[in-house]
Amino acid sequence: MKRVAITGAGVITSFGDSPAKFHSALCNGERAAYRLDHSEAGVSVCRQGGHIGSFEPEQYLKGKPLRPLDRTGRMVAATAKLALENSGWTVEMLRGHDVGLVLGTMFGSVHTISEFDRRGLTEGPSYVSPMDFANTVLNAAAGQTAIWHNLRAINSTIACGATSGLMALGYAADLIRYGSHTALLAGGADEFCFESFCGFDQAGLLCRCNGHSEFPIPFSAQRSGFALGEGAGLLMLEEWNAAVERGASILGEIRGHGSAYDPAGNVECGTETITRAMNSALHDSGILSAEIGCISASGNGSVAADRNEAVAIHAAFNGSGDAVPVTAIKSMVGEALGASGALQAVDLLQTMQTGVLPGIRGLEQPGPEIPALNLCRDKQEITAGFGLINSVGFDGNACSLVIAGASPGL
Amino acid sequence: MELETIKTKIKDAIQQVTGVDATGISDSASYIDDLGLDSLAILEIAVAVENHFKFHATDEELSSIRTVEDTIALVKRRMFAEVA
Amino acid sequence: MTTRPAIAVTGLGMVTSIGTGREEFWNALLAGKCGFGPVRSFNTSGYSVHLGAEILDFDPRTHVARLNPSMIGRSSQLAIAAARLALADASMDLGTIDRSRAGVCVGTTSGEPHFIERFDDRYVQGEMARAGDGFIRGYPCHVVPGHVAAELEFAGETMMIPTACAAGNYAIAHASDVLRAGRADIMLAGGADCFSRITYTGFARLGAIAPELCQPFDRNRKGMVPGEGAAFLLLERKDEAMARGARIYCEIAGYGLSCDAHHMTAAHPRGEGASRAMAMALKQSGMAAEDVDYISAHGTGTPTNDRLETIAVKKTFGDLAYKVPISSVKSMLGHTMGAASAIEAAVCALAITHQQIPPTMNLHEQDPECDLDFVPNQARKCNVKVAMNNAYAFGGNNSSLVFTASAA
């Protein structure tokens, strides 16, 4: 079984487009979500939302027309450029070596699909946009990105709801560990749009913003749902020896992962399922829970899921979970769906590198049903060789990933 | 329907698809050879033009479009056909 | 290289426009039955084409037992039906399995399009206020494997791989990897797509839909015919399948997945990506081109796909391309999108089991540029030990799976 080195990363977020800027903003307690008042099609949605207003694709993607790509495709292609640069992969190298892409996404872009369909309804089926049709498939962003950057190895798209990004990292890691792939970009993306904003609101999953707390605070006694965010994150994963041979900087390592499904089906993931995912990841990595130095929780303000995850952490860590520092960056990023797991991974790497863990923004009093855990209210200094990331869906999926930070001597 | 209106609209559609200012493009410009467009982009331009002038081209007509001039001719043919 | 555990196919289940369940489906294929007809599920009067391959007689209540069929979309219903058929076909006693080690991996193009189509209908009519929570609970495509898992109470890895028209192959490839890595004991792997207005509209706009017939590799072929369906393969590690006395259809010897990185809707003009996927599949399987006895083609019936696919096969197989029989069951089923390569994988398993290959129907005058043996119009008895399943998708996603007869 081969080892999976992480040699670079790229992010598109409200906090900036580098892992360092992203991490620094989180440590400063900045937040992406703000109160959005969006009226469309006779419906008003007034909730917290994390739309990246400052994203300018032309900054990253030059030399070819952008019209064929929708916004999600542009975010992914831009993130890929950043990750390739960050890991030292040049255009020349990409000509000579097949690099792949595994992208997690919940919706692809439901906005693109919807706009395409609506134009057919209002203008007639012969006036729909051929270019938009090409982007109505969920693997469009990955395909567009491969075209843009000449990525000719495996090109796969993973859709598992909010766990998509972390599942994509696990999928890609296994391709390297057990197969013959040597270099893969892996991560996730989802864009904020009316269709999903409205959908989540009508499903009663978004934070109520009752004036008591203006934005969702994971694990808090006042939590009432999550804020919808957006973003994109990609890690460059390489077979360890190949990475060393080309002189790559090794930022860390994916040691293992695990996932599970709650057979109660399409409900906020239960404790037992989340515990199984965590134990499965620990077992897969060969790391004991006592060796985990920090946890990036999935907690996003959801009433049931936050509680279930907290109880699961307590169970998986045999009651010693109250020692391991836990953060929940969705307190600032919001729930970025397919991007979440990847953004958590990027931040966890930065955490282990800088020795500073972001706090859970705004957390004062955890809910009484939350077991005693070391929930970090403020940023704190830590030393961690291994970290655990959780991704918990509102629909039964749970996934966990274990990462090792860069160790001295690499 | 003035010829200039037709040309302007076609060039608007080219600009939308390519992101490039199309006002200087000659009528005889070939989509593939001069503008570097692929079949999907050409179809996109043609559908945008159809949508604007509200006519329906056949698949054969669409697949035979090679130049800006072909597009102008199609619109003129279709506009007069629909009016007549 | 460490030995990779052999992966056995022990159950097959499918719901298609020409038959439901292994026996009915296979007999229909061999008889050359076609599932085309005028589109019924929405009004095509504003379109220049009207042909589809819909499943006309599907009653979800026959197959969906634990979930409420009226609360789930049609793709999920078809998927559950195919999953149950595969499990029954495998004589898998669910009482004996560890459900936390039973997973589901599905491929799709559209997921549950009816939910977004209803959302859009309400949007244009200004009726969004009463949309309710059905959209988020019913639409996102990962609900399809979720519903299958919930129906069967499977609690292992549950994943959707939405790589469009090649998705079934991607799902089967991944499921075989999950088993090899020891992450599960049984995996249901397949694809599902119900008939979709959005898909139909898009392909019609591209001029890709045939007006009368699907005629892969024919000189006069005019396009593809959108369809719908679902298929699952039950996969287990071979030694465990043998230990429980399961019938083994074949083994999954290997796969190859590549990307053209060329164009969103058109394949590489020299078949490079497709050819690489075939070569990778052969290499991973430990096979050579001359070992392949049958190829299940992507063969959509569009002028471009069939020509470029022929080029890709010749690039991989050289002169041997003229010796290996190749057929496209899309000539009978139409293009079932994400289900297609899963159905075609089942076809490969059945070809190996029965030593027969289905025809390419409606092949009246072969295109001189498609001059290989496409098994025209008549099923054929054939020595099949090794079968290859090829599928290609938007975004240049190429896939090849290799199936082999199982040595005892």
Side-chain angles (χ1 to χ4, degrees), chain A residues 40 43 98 114 117-118 126 139 152 155 157 159 161 171 174 177 199 202-203 257 261 263 266 276 284 394-395, chain C residues 66 100 120 123 128-129 131-133 136-137 142 146 155 158 160-162 174 183 197 205 259 261 276 394 397:
Chain A
E40 197 172 322
V43 151
D98 291 351
S114 209
D117 188 38
R118 291 195 296 256
S126 58
N139 61 328
R152 299 182 309 273
N155 189 281
T157 300
Y171 176 109
D174 275 6
R177 286 160 107 190
Q202 295 191 339
H257 66 98
Y261 184 73
N266 215 343
R276 268 191 300 120
D284 188 47
F394 60 88
D395 48 13
Chain C
R66 186 164 179 252
S100 71
D120 294 334
Y123 186 109
M128 289 300 301
D133 80 342
I136 283 298
R137 291 286 173 204
H142 68 283
T158 300
M160 168 59 84
I161 302 185
H174 178 65
R183 292 185 183 281
R197 170 179 86 202
R205 180 62 276 180
C259 186
R276 265 188 303 118
F394 275 12
N397 287 177

Side-chain angles (χ1 to χ4, degrees), chain C residues 14 16 18-34 332 347 350 354 356-359 361 379:
Chain C
M14 65 288 291
T16 78
I18 65 171
T20 291
R22 174 181 48 84
E23 221 173 289
E24 188 184 40
F25 170 67
W26 184 240
N27 291 336
L29 273 189
L30 295 179
K33 184 173 176 195
C34 294
M332 296 176 263
V347 169
L350 290 165
H354 295 292
Q356 274 182 290
I357 56 181
M361 292 304 292

Side-chain angles (χ1 to χ4, degrees), chain C residues 142-378:
Chain C
H142 68 283
V143 300
V144 178
H147 287 141
V148 173
E151 170 75 12
L152 301 171
E153 296 182 272
F154 280 16
E157 182 185 289
T158 300
M159 181 182 278
M160 168 59 84
I161 302 185
T163 47
C165 307
N169 267 1
Y170 278 73
I172 294 166
H174 178 65
S176 69
D177 279 349
V178 169
L179 289 166
R180 287 196 189 94
R183 292 185 183 281
D185 296 331
I186 67 170
M187 289 292 289
L188 274 166
D193 256 302
C194 67
F195 208 76
S196 158
R197 170 179 86 202
I198 291 172
T199 302
Y200 200 88
T201 304
F203 281 115
R205 180 62 276 180
L206 292 182
I209 298 181
E212 284 171 16
L213 263 187
C214 185
Q215 301 185 267
F217 310 110
D218 191 286
R219 181 185 213 132
N220 299 308
R221 65 189 184 278
K222 295 205 172 41
M224 46 93 93
V225 177
E228 61 177 350
F232 273 102
L233 280 58
L234 186 70
L235 307 182
E236 306 173 62
R237 283 179 293 275
K238 179 183 168 182
D239 52 357
E240 289 164 36
M242 288 178 68
R244 75 171 180 93
R247 173 207 23 217
I248 295 178
Y249 285 99
C250 61
E251 293 175 31
I252 299 178
Y255 67 83
L257 305 173
S258 75
C259 186
D260 282 353
H262 167 71
H263 192 275
M264 282 305 288
T265 59
H268 191 282
R270 290 182 300 282
E272 284 179 6
S275 172
R276 265 188 303 118
M278 283 188 259
M280 281 160 61
L282 288 172
K283 184 172 178 197
Q284 200 188 81
S285 312
M287 299 274 157
E290 68 236 28
D291 297 320
V292 178
D293 301 310
Y294 168 63
I295 296 176
S296 174
H298 188 56
T300 56
T302 65
T304 315
N305 174 80
D306 296 358
R307 181 175 57 81
L308 295 180
E309 187 169 0
T310 303
I311 290 173
V313 171
K314 288 178 182 175
K315 193 170 161 66
T316 309
F317 286 79
D319 287 338
L320 290 168
Y322 290 90
K323 297 214 164 70
V324 60
I326 306 168
S327 62
S328 167
V329 301
K330 291 187 176 77
S331 60
M332 296 176 263
L333 297 168
H335 193 340
T336 56
M337 305 296 152
S341 50
I343 294 172
E344 290 151 16
V347 169
C348 287
L350 290 165
I352 289 171
T353 301
H354 295 292
Q355 299 288 287
Q356 274 182 290
I357 56 181
T360 303
M361 292 304 292
N362 313 314
L363 186 48
H364 305 310
E365 192 190 345
Q366 208 157 315
D367 181 349
E369 286 194 293
C370 303
D371 58 344
L372 304 178
D373 175 8
F374 289 114
V375 194
N377 305 311
Q378 190 87 26

Side-chain angles (χ1 to χ4, degrees), chain A residues 206-395:
Chain A
L206 298 183
C207 168
R208 287 281 163 261
C209 310
N210 287 329
H212 189 109
S213 98
E214 274 297 302
F215 52 90
I217 304 173
F219 308 114
S220 120
Q222 286 81 37
R223 69 188 189 279
S224 63
F226 60 83
L228 189 63
E230 67 171 356
L234 289 171
L235 302 185
M236 174 58 90
L237 306 180
E238 298 186 53
E239 191 276 316
W240 189 277
N241 293 330
V244 168
E245 206 179 298
R246 78 167 181 90
S249 299
I250 298 185
L251 309 179
E253 182 181 4
I254 293 185
R255 291 295 296 260
H257 66 98
S259 72
Y261 184 73
D262 191 331
N266 215 343
V267 293
E268 287 191 63
C269 212
T271 301
E272 188 269 338
T273 304
I274 305 168
T275 309
R276 268 191 300 120
M278 282 195 279
N279 282 334
S280 171
L282 288 166
H283 176 76
D284 188 47
S285 67
I287 306 290
L288 299 171
S289 58
E291 297 175 82
I292 297 289
C294 53
I295 297 175
S296 175
S298 184
N300 59 15
S302 294
V303 177
D306 281 16
R307 177 227 164 243
N308 295 344
E309 184 186 7
V311 173
I313 291 172
H314 203 252
F317 283 73
N318 294 317
S320 68
D322 55 356
V324 186
V326 178
T327 188
I329 68 167
K330 294 181 193 178
S331 58
M332 294 171 277
V333 179
E335 175 55 78
L337 305 173
S340 282
L343 294 177
Q344 286 170 261
V346 170
D347 184 66
L348 196 66
L349 279 170
Q350 284 285 313
T351 292
M352 290 193 283
Q353 191 181 321
T354 60
V356 182
L357 180 77
I360 302 171
R361 191 190 195 284
L363 181 62
E364 286 170 7
Q365 192 58 38
E369 77 286 11
I370 305 291
L373 294 177
N374 184 2
L375 298 172
C376 297
R377 289 158 179 68
D378 301 300
K379 70 178 179 193
Q380 67 181 62
E381 290 186 359
I382 61 160
T383 308
F386 302 105
L388 176 83
I389 303 165
N390 283 339
S391 234
V392 174
F394 60 88
D395 48 13

Side-chain angles (χ1 to χ4, degrees), chain A residues 3-344:
Chain A
R3 292 174 70 186
V4 182
I6 304 168
T7 58
V11 293
I12 293 287
T13 71
S14 294
F15 309 102
D17 59 2
S18 79
K21 278 190 242 172
F22 176 51
H23 179 69
S24 176
L26 296 180
C27 291
N28 288 337
E30 294 174 31
R31 66 184 170 95
Y34 50 94
R35 198 177 187 97
L36 282 177
D37 205 327
H38 191 116
S39 292
E40 197 172 322
V43 151
S44 251
V45 186
C46 177
R47 298 276 174 241
Q48 292 285 320
H51 179 254
I52 306 172
S54 59
F55 174 58
E56 284 169 18
E58 299 80 8
Q59 216 184 317
Y60 312 95
L61 305 169
K62 303 183 206 289
K64 284 194 279 189
L66 286 177
R67 170 65 185 90
L69 284 71
D70 65 4
R71 186 163 176 273
T72 302
R74 294 170 195 192
M75 283 168 62
V76 178
T79 306
K81 174 167 198 278
L82 293 166
L84 288 165
E85 280 173 356
N86 188 251
S87 53
W89 277 87
T90 63
V91 169
E92 191 59 43
M93 287 161 72
L94 290 167
R95 266 190 219 117
H97 192 104
D98 291 351
V99 173
L101 171 61
V102 181
L103 185 76
T105 183
M106 176 164 172
F107 283 114
S109 172
V110 60
H111 177 65
T112 301
I113 295 167
S114 209
E115 286 242 303
F116 173 85
D117 188 38
R118 291 195 296 256
R119 193 187 321 176
L121 293 174
T122 54
E123 310 280 338
S126 58
Y127 295 138
V128 293
S129 158
M131 274 185 169
D132 285 355
F133 179 55
N135 289 323
T136 61
V137 286
L138 260 80
N139 61 328
Q144 296 278 18
T145 299
I147 293 168
W148 201 279
H149 297 294
N150 195 18
L151 306 172
R152 299 182 309 273
I154 183 174
N155 189 281
S156 196
T157 300
I158 310 297
C160 297
T163 65
S164 302
L166 216 61
M167 293 288 279
L169 290 175
Y171 176 109
D174 275 6
L175 287 173
I176 292 172
R177 286 160 107 190
Y178 299 108
S180 55
H181 290 274
T182 53
L184 299 171
L185 282 168
D190 260 297
E191 75 165 325
F192 180 98
C193 61
F194 168 72
E195 289 77 10
S196 49
F197 195 37
C198 175
F200 280 116
D201 183 46
Q202 295 191 339
L205 290 167
L206 298 183
C207 168
R208 287 281 163 261
C209 310
N210 287 329
H212 189 109
S213 98
E214 274 297 302
F215 52 90
I217 304 173
F219 308 114
S220 120
Q222 286 81 37
R223 69 188 189 279
S224 63
F226 60 83
L228 189 63
E230 67 171 356
L234 289 171
L235 302 185
M236 174 58 90
L237 306 180
E238 298 186 53
E239 191 276 316
W240 189 277
N241 293 330
V244 168
E245 206 179 298
R246 78 167 181 90
S249 299
I250 298 185
L251 309 179
E253 182 181 4
I254 293 185
R255 291 295 296 260
H257 66 98
S259 72
Y261 184 73
D262 191 331
N266 215 343
V267 293
E268 287 191 63
C269 212
T271 301
E272 188 269 338
T273 304
I274 305 168
T275 309
R276 268 191 300 120
M278 282 195 279
N279 282 334
S280 171
L282 288 166
H283 176 76
D284 188 47
S285 67
I287 306 290
L288 299 171
S289 58
E291 297 175 82
I292 297 289
C294 53
I295 297 175
S296 175
S298 184
N300 59 15
S302 294
V303 177
D306 281 16
R307 177 227 164 243
N308 295 344
E309 184 186 7
V311 173
I313 291 172
H314 203 252
F317 283 73
N318 294 317
S320 68
D322 55 356
V324 186
V326 178
T327 188
I329 68 167
K330 294 181 193 178
S331 58
M332 294 171 277
V333 179
E335 175 55 78
L337 305 173
S340 282
L343 294 177
Q344 286 170 261

